[in-house]
Amino acid sequence: MILTREDLIRYLKPGNPETLQEIIDLAHRVRLNHVGNKVWLRGLVEWTNRCAKNCYYCGIRRDNKEAHRYTVDFRALEEAIDTALSNKFGSMVVQTGELSGEQFVEEIGEVVKTIKSRSDNKLGVTLSCGEQSEETYRYWYECGAHRYLLRIEASDPELYSRLHPQDRFHEQKNRFISLELLRKCGYQVGTGIMVGLPGQSLQHLADDILTINRLDVDMVGLGPYIPHHRTPLYELKELLLPAAVRLELTLRVLALVRITMKDINMAASTALDVLVSSGRLMALRAGANVLMPNLTPADYRKDYFLYDDKPWLTEALDLVKKISGQVRKYGLEIGSDEWGDAPRFAERNSKKTTTGKLL
Ligand code: 5AD
Ligand code: SF4
């Protein structure tokens, strides 16, 4: 379905329950037709909260000296892998702050190899470790990672510049270059944004949706912005839309991305559960088809605070049990023992257009 910028702005506008229901129902139908009724599980491991960057919105930014820094150990990783396997998860996601250097690159390579060998290649591996060199992306791919998430955060250059320090480590153009490199290395590529940022307009969000379409990614992960009290952006909290509006806006963006992109994978982000306890469930009804239960060992999990009030106490297996019952009423079921790749990726490769430009 082709939607113009004006159509998108109209459908994004909060406050009209009819248009909300209309796009959620359409997104659900598109989802069933193009990616089926499965909800794919990815066991999330937040490997380290060390980060060299200083994004204004994020609780684990370098200058937050209050954050207690950790790196998970390999024994705990093995336990998480075993939990994923015994509960029929098809994949794992390894997320970190953005670090560079030989030691980090090697370490993540080992993490990937451990997941692949311990699971006998049963588990797919998604990485979310920020902007890296082509060589690093290639190395991790060779270790066995085959999907990579790197959010653009916001497509508008001016808004992006208000969210990040003005230095060479936070240049927007490098995001786009990284996404190109990831595609070139053979990854299934994912991107996304935050919804409800201070100063973000409906026009910005419509342009985000158009940009994500133009990027022709295989996966999308987007969620609401949630303030963190130890970040510079917290000072703008008076400009924040009420939680209910941020929730509605996020659901509208999710539905519109599903309607316009159809055969991609799309995650129900954890941040939604901060706004309302059924947030992720609502996302699964609005077009999302991926759930990422948190398998980070509890001792570490409490320190991976990108934002305040993170529902870190929700145990992964309790979440899966609860959601698997709840989604049944929408005709959905939890997928098991399969990687659950996005049909768009296979489709693109079969057409041999892998070199297709991202922008
Ligand atoms: N609220 C919501 N999402 C956030 N992220 C970082 N900080 C916040 C926040 N305060 C998201 C960013 C990043 C991902 C790892 O977490 O979009 O890409
Ligand atoms: Fe680091 Fe990512 Fe947080 Fe930015 S958003 S400070 S890169 S962890």
Side-chain angles (χ1 to χ4, degrees):
M1 182 172 182
I2 299 186
L3 293 173
T4 64
R5 186 169 185 262
E6 287 63 41
D7 295 332
L8 291 171
I9 293 170
R10 194 157 27 92
Y11 281 118
L12 283 166
K13 202 170 168 19
N16 180 341
E18 273 163 35
T19 59
L20 179 63
Q21 203 51 49
E22 184 190 333
I23 57 173
I24 285 181
D25 287 346
L26 179 56
H28 189 58
R29 282 203 301 280
V30 170
R31 169 242 168 76
L32 290 172
N33 285 337
H34 291 267
V35 295
N37 75 336
K38 295 275 166 56
V39 175
W40 302 116
L41 300 179
R42 322 273 189 234
L44 173 65
V45 172
E46 295 152 333
W47 176 256
T48 180
N49 67 351
R50 296 193 162 84
C51 186
K53 281 206 175 168
N54 237 342
C55 308
Y56 291 153
Y57 44 84
C58 176
I60 62 170
R61 63 198 299 272
R62 187 186 65 218
D63 283 357
N64 180 8
K65 304 292 180 218
E66 259 184 18
H68 172 249
R69 305 289 167 170
Y70 74 84
T71 300
V72 174
D73 60 276
F74 277 85
R75 273 239 341 245
L77 173 69
E78 287 174 0
E79 276 175 35
I81 297 169
D82 294 347
T83 306
L85 284 172
S86 57
N87 290 282
K88 300 178 184 293
F89 288 22
S91 301
M92 294 191 74
V93 177
V94 178
Q95 195 172 13
T96 67
E98 192 175 306
L99 295 170
S100 55
E102 217 170 291
Q103 197 194 326
F104 178 68
V105 173
E106 290 273 306
E107 185 178 282
I108 297 305
E110 284 312 305
V111 168
V112 175
K113 286 196 248 174
T114 305
I115 299 172
K116 294 311 270 187
S117 61
R118 197 172 175 89
S119 73
D120 223 356
N121 199 27
K122 279 209 185 83
L123 292 171
V125 179
T126 309
L127 289 179
S128 178
C129 306
E131 293 165 30
Q132 303 287 341
S133 67
E134 180 174 353
E135 193 190 354
T136 299
Y137 286 147
R138 185 151 284 135
Y139 173 63
W140 289 342
Y141 187 82
E142 282 159 7
C143 290
H146 76 300
R147 305 188 192 109
Y148 204 104
L149 301 169
L150 183 69
R151 289 185 176 182
I152 55 169
E153 315 294 0
S155 60
D156 180 71
E158 206 267 321
L159 179 58
Y160 191 92
S161 74
R162 275 189 273 137
L163 303 173
H164 299 94
Q166 299 303 293
D167 62 29
R168 68 192 173 87
F169 301 107
H170 297 82
E171 284 181 37
Q172 188 186 36
K173 75 170 188 326
N174 291 334
R175 285 279 148 139
F176 293 109
I177 292 172
S178 284
L179 290 168
E180 290 259 14
L181 293 176
L182 287 161
R183 162 94 25 103
K184 192 171 152 201
C185 292
Y187 286 93
Q188 291 177 43
V189 180
T191 196
I193 55 160
M194 284 176 287
V195 179
L197 288 158
Q200 187 183 45
S201 64
L202 298 185
Q203 284 77 0
H204 285 138
L205 288 171
D207 289 336
D208 289 339
I209 296 171
L210 292 171
T211 304
I212 295 172
N213 268 269
R214 243 185 345 259
L215 286 167
D216 184 25
V217 285
D218 310 296
M219 312 179 288
V220 168
L222 62 88
Y225 163 67
I226 313 284
H228 185 290
H229 65 288
R230 292 282 302 174
T231 60
L233 210 61
Y234 193 74
E235 286 161 27
L236 299 183
K237 71 176 191 315
E238 278 73 41
L239 295 180
L240 211 60
L241 295 167
V245 181
R246 271 179 293 146
L247 171 70
E248 178 181 338
L249 259 182
T250 308
L251 294 174
R252 284 179 185 269
V253 177
L254 280 168
L256 290 167
V257 170
R258 171 61 72 201
I259 291 165
T260 50
M261 296 192 73
K262 299 190 172 62
D263 56 354
I264 58 162
N265 275 349
M266 195 160 66
S269 84
T270 311
L272 275 165
D273 278 15
V274 176
L275 299 180
V276 56
S277 65
S278 57
R280 278 183 282 189
L281 179 66
M282 293 165 101
L284 292 171
R285 177 63 176 78
N289 67 329
V290 169
L291 189 66
M292 297 176 16
N294 197 333
L295 295 182
T296 312
D299 292 354
Y300 300 119
R301 209 181 307 163
K302 64 182 187 320
D303 291 316
Y304 203 89
F305 265 102
L306 302 176
Y307 41 78
D308 290 337
D309 304 322
K310 188 175 159 198
W312 65 274
L313 279 172
T314 322
E315 281 309 326
L317 302 181
D318 293 342
L319 171 77
V320 175
K321 211 166 131 196
K322 194 168 123 200
I323 290 248
S324 67
Q326 291 169 324
V327 293
R328 239 173 264 148
K329 62 174 180 284
Y330 306 142
L332 304 177
E333 58 178 301
I334 301 289
S336 49
D337 281 337
E338 265 186 76
W339 288 4
D341 289 334
R344 175 168 293 222
F345 184 72
E347 178 73 9
R348 181 185 304 105
N349 282 356
S350 73
K351 285 191 196 140
K352 299 230 178 316
T353 55
T354 25
T355 51
K357 275 254 167 273
L358 282 167
L359 257 188

